[in-house]
Amino acid sequence: MSHNFSSPDRRSLLLSAAGILMTSTATNAASAQAAPTAPAPALLPVTGTAARGDFDFLTGEWRIKIRKFDTSGPNGHQVRDASATVHRVLNGMGSIEELRNGDGSMWGMGVRVLHPNDNQWADHWTSAQDGVVNPPQLGTFIDGAGIFFADDRDGDTPIKIRAVWDQITPTSCRWYQTMSRNGGESYERDWYMNWTRV
């Protein structure tokens, strides 16, 4: 089903989503902190910062080139195009991303919310297919890069996720995700997204 929201309605919807996530994230963050999410110390810097406006660089319109690493594509990866519109909300304490497939259909929504008392950001993903708000990846910014971690599962196998926002310039940035199947001792490539501002 497709919806054509006018701009004010869309903004209201996005602001409502951010408000709901601000309320629910505190509980999720507490439970996520109780579970070990950090990989080996060599891969996780000890200190970082989380501040209002950290995700302002992402505000605007973007074209995205995506590589998904798997064995079914040429050279072990699949390549596809996407686009995104990102909104700064809550005076820089939140960032809402509408991610679209290459044909313009909705892929999903990323919602990032600052937890200032915990000195971390919570990065949630919601697929357009099921509308489920996934548990957040939690992280901070270190030397200009946002580094996020989460525990997840690949089928019955527990995995650790490490996601990074880096190569940030006024007109481009990169997001990539790696996964570990051995408790964080080593990571394998998963998703790479190169963002170019429209």
Side-chain angles (χ1 to χ4, degrees):
M1 178 186 305
S2 63
H3 299 280
N4 291 319
F5 294 109
S6 66
S7 183
D9 288 341
R10 174 178 287 178
R11 184 140 180 96
S12 296
L13 174 66
L14 294 174
L15 288 172
S16 297
I20 291 167
L21 283 171
M22 283 287 287
T23 303
S24 66
T25 301
T27 303
N28 289 341
S31 62
Q33 286 178 341
T37 58
L43 295 176
L44 175 61
V46 176
T47 60
T49 61
R52 184 187 303 268
D54 279 344
F55 276 99
D56 285 1
F57 73 90
L58 206 54
T59 300
E61 299 289 335
W62 298 87
R63 295 285 178 260
I64 306 167
K65 182 67 73 175
I66 300 171
R67 287 179 293 156
K68 169 65 174 168
F69 287 87
D70 59 39
T71 57
S72 62
N75 302 316
H77 65 267
Q78 299 280 355
V79 178
R80 61 195 267 195
D81 293 320
S83 63
T85 303
V86 183
H87 306 272
R88 180 184 194 264
V89 297
L90 302 174
N91 197 25
M93 289 185 64
S95 175
I96 299 177
E97 162 198 331
E98 297 174 284
L99 187 62
R100 296 176 294 274
N101 293 300
D103 63 4
S105 62
M106 194 58 67
W107 184 356
M109 179 174 70
V111 178
R112 299 165 192 98
V113 182
L114 175 64
H115 294 206
N117 293 338
D118 299 325
N119 188 41
Q120 65 185 0
W121 281 88
D123 190 347
H124 299 263
W125 170 251
T126 301
S127 170
Q129 292 182 338
D130 58 23
V132 174
V133 180
N134 291 334
Q137 297 178 351
L138 301 173
T140 60
F141 279 76
I142 301 161
D143 295 330
I147 304 174
F148 291 77
F149 294 92
D151 286 323
D152 205 343
R153 300 190 74 81
D154 183 13
D156 293 331
T157 304
I159 60 173
K160 290 187 177 293
I161 299 293
R162 181 179 190 260
V164 177
W165 288 98
D166 69 355
Q167 298 182 2
I168 299 168
T169 77
T171 58
S172 63
C173 62
R174 179 178 68 170
W175 176 87
Y176 67 92
Q177 180 173 282
T178 57
M179 73 170 70
S180 173
R181 301 175 188 277
N182 56 13
E185 293 181 18
S186 62
Y187 282 78
E188 61 189 69
R189 294 178 297 181
D190 188 14
W191 292 89
Y192 274 67
M193 295 184 172
N194 291 300
W195 294 56
T196 303
R197 188 176 296 282
V198 175

